[in-house]
Amino acid sequence: MLGGGEALLQHTIVKSVSTEGVGLHSGCRVRLTLRPAPVDTGIVFRRVDLQNFTIQALRQHVSRVVLATTLMKRGVMLSTVEHLMSALYGLGIDNLFIDIDSLEVPILDGSARPFVELVLGVGTVPQNKERTYLRIDQEVELRDGEKFIRVRPAAELRICYQIDFAHPMIGKQKLDLVVTPDSYTQEIAFARTFGFLSEVEQLRKSNLIRGGSLDNAVVLTEDGVLNGELRARDEFVRHKVLDLIGDIALCGYPLIGKIEAYKAGHALHTDLATELVRHPEISSRIAESNLAA
């Protein structure tokens, strides 16, 4: 059962809350403030450094998916939105204004946990409008060589993700999880982004990871981890699930269906979000009170 009472309603946060940090790829200092928003607002970014220019967190604004998910509207960019979007989706936040004074969401510790702690610290509040879900009605699959992502009908959001890296600390990992606020907070939010020490120089030559450090990513050497212990043996696949949740949040509605992914990434994640929204035969928008109908 998906929930009852307050769980049937849209949610926002009780009051505004702020944080600041550095952009992973830009290296820029950035301040971000989460603010309550009315029903049916959705998640809306406001570039306060550009006269509050608004960018809705929706798949039609996805412009780039190289190592992060970037939104762009009328030439205004906002990068690395996936960890924050993942946290908001995982906690069931429907409506929010996100004021930001730079072109990239701060990476913080490389996971979604700091954003979860921000939201839980101020609390959430139900609103006077029922939630609408995107329910999967038929299976669809997208492929890129051996990589794939598929979604099929199910009674809740369930994610089964597999990765396979030729590295002794990763190898083959698989996670199968029903996504709820509790399971997200306990099983997914803590998982950090990761990268390989051997790729750092080339990425920086490409003007990427300029804000990367040992404090905001798991850095892998040839045969180990450079910066301390993992938070879980399978932290890597858990972070892939975290990214997937952040990317499918760009559908604009919470999803009811089972997603299976193999070695997928931001490109396949966001392509799936596009397919679900563009093709009404694949999914339908439905109020939670009618899901059993």
Side-chain angles (χ1 to χ4, degrees):
M1 183 175 179
L2 287 163
E6 290 187 356
L8 293 169
L9 301 175
Q10 295 180 28
H11 280 69
T12 189
I13 59 175
V14 173
K15 62 180 180 179
S16 298
V17 63
S18 299
T19 189
E20 56 185 60
V22 65
L24 174 62
H25 297 297
S26 66
C28 296
R29 293 295 303 179
V30 54
R31 182 172 176 81
L32 176 147
T33 301
L34 310 180
R35 300 189 188 279
V39 296
D40 294 336
T41 298
I43 308 300
V44 178
F45 289 94
R46 300 191 295 202
R47 285 287 301 272
V48 297
D49 58 323
L50 297 174
Q51 299 179 321
N52 284 336
F53 185 89
T54 60
I55 305 176
Q56 294 76 20
L58 296 172
R59 54 88 199 167
Q60 61 259 41
H61 297 312
V62 173
S63 68
R64 195 164 181 260
V65 287
V66 178
L67 298 180
T69 299
T70 297
L71 305 178
M72 184 177 290
K73 179 181 172 185
R74 301 203 325 244
V76 177
M77 184 178 77
L78 188 63
S79 185
T80 319
V81 302
E82 62 271 17
H83 298 173
L84 174 55
M85 290 300 301
S86 183
L88 299 177
Y89 187 106
L91 294 176
I93 301 300
D94 303 281
N95 304 301
L96 202 68
F97 292 120
I98 304 170
D99 292 348
I100 185 167
D101 66 358
S102 189
L103 51 72
E104 186 175 17
V105 174
I107 189 64
L108 302 180
D109 77 345
S111 77
R113 188 162 65 185
F115 296 120
V116 167
E117 291 172 347
L118 275 182
V119 171
L120 295 182
V122 295
T124 65
V125 60
Q127 299 175 284
N128 192 27
K129 186 73 178 288
E130 193 171 18
R131 291 189 103 192
T132 297
Y133 285 81
L134 199 62
R135 184 183 65 186
I136 302 305
D137 297 323
Q138 63 178 252
E139 181 174 334
V140 63
E141 178 178 288
L142 303 175
R143 283 190 171 266
D144 178 10
E146 66 174 344
K147 304 174 184 179
F148 71 81
I149 190 166
R150 73 169 67 98
V151 64
R152 60 182 63 182
E156 65 264 305
L157 176 57
R158 183 170 184 171
I159 295 175
C160 181
Y161 210 119
Q162 298 181 69
I163 61 173
D164 188 356
F165 283 84
H167 190 282
M169 295 298 294
I170 307 178
K172 296 180 180 180
Q173 296 186 358
K174 179 179 179 180
L175 186 67
D176 192 337
L177 183 75
V178 174
V179 181
T180 66
D182 284 344
S183 69
Y184 182 86
T185 300
Q186 297 172 18
E187 305 292 337
I188 300 300
F190 67 81
R192 295 164 293 171
T193 192
F194 60 94
F196 299 90
L197 184 62
S198 60
E199 299 175 355
V200 167
E201 183 177 354
Q202 184 56 49
L203 288 170
R204 286 186 169 160
K205 285 180 179 178
S206 301
N207 288 323
L208 296 168
I209 68 165
R210 286 181 289 179
S213 74
L214 299 180
D215 295 323
N216 56 35
V218 177
V219 180
L220 293 152
T221 62
E222 288 187 4
D223 57 4
V225 175
L226 182 62
N227 51 330
E229 296 183 359
L230 296 174
R231 294 176 176 176
R233 172 65 184 86
D234 59 352
E235 185 172 359
F236 307 98
V237 72
R238 290 176 189 270
H239 186 78
K240 288 293 188 178
V241 172
L242 186 156
D243 278 346
L244 171 59
I245 291 170
D247 289 334
I248 63 168
L250 299 172
C251 287
Y253 299 95
L255 190 69
I256 302 298
K258 182 178 180 180
I259 301 175
E260 298 168 290
Y262 177 69
K263 298 174 71 171
H266 292 300
L268 280 175
H269 298 168
T270 54
D271 284 349
L272 177 63
T274 298
E275 287 291 304
L276 296 181
V277 174
R278 284 185 177 174
H279 299 286
E281 70 275 12
I282 297 173
S283 61
S284 46
R285 299 174 187 177
I286 187 166
E288 183 169 343
S289 58
N290 294 327
L291 281 173

